[in-house]
Amino acid sequence: MTSEPFPSERIHDPQFEQLVDDLCQRPGMFVFPPSFGAVCAYLDGFDVARNHGPLIGLQQWLVVRARACYELH
């Protein structure tokens, strides 16, 4: 099973891709404290501000990857 989405499922969003790269490299520049939960909340806020476009399909992808049915936020 692949961990990547199919090429046809990818949505090119350079701003979001750059944000994720920057968050991975320097989380403390965006959130305090630089924790997993704080980064998730920041990404969720970005997603809401962009009308749920950047993370569309992420929940379904996580459920398939985990091979279980969970209520994931």
Side-chain angles (χ1 to χ4, degrees), residues 1 4-6 22 26 31 33 38 47-49 54 63-64 67 69 73:
M1 174 181 250
E4 295 286 323
F6 292 111
D22 292 343
R26 297 174 298 282
V31 297
D47 185 51
V48 169
V63 168
V64 170
R67 296 185 182 152
C69 183
H73 175 70

Side-chain angles (χ1 to χ4, degrees), residues 21-59:
D21 285 342
D22 292 343
L23 267 169
C24 289
Q25 292 178 22
R26 297 174 298 282
M29 288 185 64
F30 297 89
V31 297
F32 185 81
S35 65
F36 179 76
V39 169
C40 287
Y42 187 87
L43 287 172
D44 188 46
F46 185 88
D47 185 51
V48 169
R50 302 280 298 277
N51 293 319
H52 301 285
L55 298 180
I56 194 166
L58 179 65
Q59 180 180 9

Side-chain angles (χ1 to χ4, degrees), residues 3-22:
S3 63
E4 295 286 323
F6 292 111
S8 63
E9 296 175 322
R10 294 182 185 190
I11 298 172
H12 184 64
D13 187 345
Q15 278 185 310
F16 184 66
E17 292 170 13
Q18 185 63 52
L19 174 67
V20 171
D21 285 342
D22 292 343

